[in-house]
Amino acid sequence: MNIHYLTLFPKMYDGILNTSILGRAKEKGIVDYHTINFRDFSGNKHNKVDDYPYGGGAGMVLKPEPVFNAMESLELDDPRVILLCPQGRPFDQKMAEELSTENDIVFICGHYEGYDERIRSLVTDEVSIGDYVLTGGELASMTMTDAVVRLIPGVLNREESHQEDSFSTGLLEHPHYTRPREYRGMKVPEVLLNGNHKLIEEWRHEESLKRTRERRPDLLE
Ligand code: ADE
């Protein structure tokens, strides 16, 4: 998979995409990340990428030319083109699973009051990572990258498996314990110590249900 980021701040990506599982996925050749500074595609001599809104009002608007020019320079065959904005469809595990099968994903990351509406003609999806406003789409694109890349076959090893993740089962995950058996008076539940796998599975399922009912009843509906 190739992931392309149209951004004014390519440096923001250096640490995250080269570290831990995302970095390892790249080293393994499963995924590659490409940042494109669309200021380089402004098409004007002052490298201007934003302008005042027609009709007046506060804030600047991202001009269409830099984004159209940068997109055309990519010459991709049928990519998913994702515009990050708070008005988009809420990102969730199901969308992460769907995106994990794509060959090319392009994230368009704005940093202004808004995008010129014509930019929307380039995109296949408008996505929000939550009901709050970020200063730009970069962190949202990295959050989505993290959720997507870990689902690509070969990225996680057996110990890191995602089969039982919260959300992929439709429920939140059950509690986990490791050694020691007792820590500061807090004991590991007996059922996990007796080696009866059927009982352990039942306990885990019950705990998952309980947690989901308490914390995220909306998931059970
Ligand atoms: N850009 C600004 N806020 C955002 C959000 N919540 N999700 C995605 N992109 C954004």
Side-chain angles (χ1 to χ4, degrees):
M1 177 189 289
N2 281 288
I3 312 182
H4 314 262
Y5 307 88
L6 269 56
T7 172
L8 294 171
F9 301 96
K11 271 206 209 121
M12 283 181 75
Y13 292 85
D14 290 349
I16 303 241
L17 300 183
N18 288 307
T19 305
S20 183
I21 291 169
L22 296 186
R24 205 178 65 201
K26 180 176 153 184
E27 276 167 27
K28 283 188 184 171
I30 298 172
V31 60
D32 206 355
Y33 313 110
H34 314 271
T35 52
I36 300 110
N37 189 336
F38 58 79
R39 194 179 292 285
D40 299 339
F41 295 86
S42 66
N44 61 72
K45 68 172 187 287
H46 299 295
N47 293 332
K48 206 169 144 57
V49 293
D50 62 327
D51 212 334
Y52 295 101
Y54 274 122
M60 300 292 268
V61 175
L62 187 57
K63 289 162 70 61
E65 301 94 320
V67 181
F68 274 74
N69 292 341
M71 275 300 291
E72 280 157 14
S73 77
L74 292 177
E75 298 185 356
L76 301 175
D77 183 28
D78 202 24
R80 283 293 278 268
V81 183
I82 295 171
L83 186 77
L84 293 155
C85 60
Q87 303 94 324
R89 173 178 151 206
F91 183 57
D92 59 13
Q93 190 67 17
K94 192 162 159 280
M95 201 191 305
E97 277 160 19
E98 185 190 314
L99 291 173
S100 72
T101 63
E102 295 284 344
N103 287 327
D104 283 288
I105 301 177
V106 183
F107 288 108
I108 302 178
C109 307
H111 251 264
Y112 295 89
E113 197 62 21
Y115 298 96
D116 183 287
E117 193 61 22
R118 289 162 290 192
I119 291 171
R120 294 199 149 83
S121 70
L122 294 172
V123 316
T124 56
D125 307 76
E126 292 188 33
V127 180
S128 163
I129 62 158
D131 289 343
Y132 40 81
V133 180
L134 301 168
T135 56
E138 284 79 8
L139 290 171
S141 70
M142 286 187 259
T143 300
M144 289 180 64
T145 298
D146 191 287
V148 168
V149 168
R150 66 190 288 285
L151 297 177
I152 304 173
V155 169
L156 296 186
N157 56 39
R158 220 171 63 82
E159 292 78 43
E160 297 160 344
S161 162
H162 55 76
Q163 307 302 331
E164 289 170 22
D165 284 347
S166 291
F167 307 112
S168 54
T169 59
L171 298 175
L172 300 183
E173 266 199 80
H174 55 77
H176 300 275
Y177 290 90
T178 185
R179 278 180 283 211
R181 262 180 185 229
E182 184 171 341
Y183 184 66
R184 301 196 179 191
M186 294 176 279
K187 290 186 179 140
V188 176
E190 264 319 302
V191 61
L192 299 177
L193 308 172
N194 66 16
N196 184 330
H197 293 290
K198 189 163 171 291
L199 278 182
I200 291 171
E201 276 319 300
E202 280 169 15
W203 180 84
R204 286 181 168 161
H205 184 65
E206 278 307 311
E207 291 293 318
S208 274
L209 275 172
K210 195 166 119 200
R211 241 180 209 190
T212 311
R213 217 177 286 125
E214 282 166 8
R215 300 181 186 193
R216 295 291 306 276
D218 56 302
L219 295 176
L220 292 173
E221 277 155 22

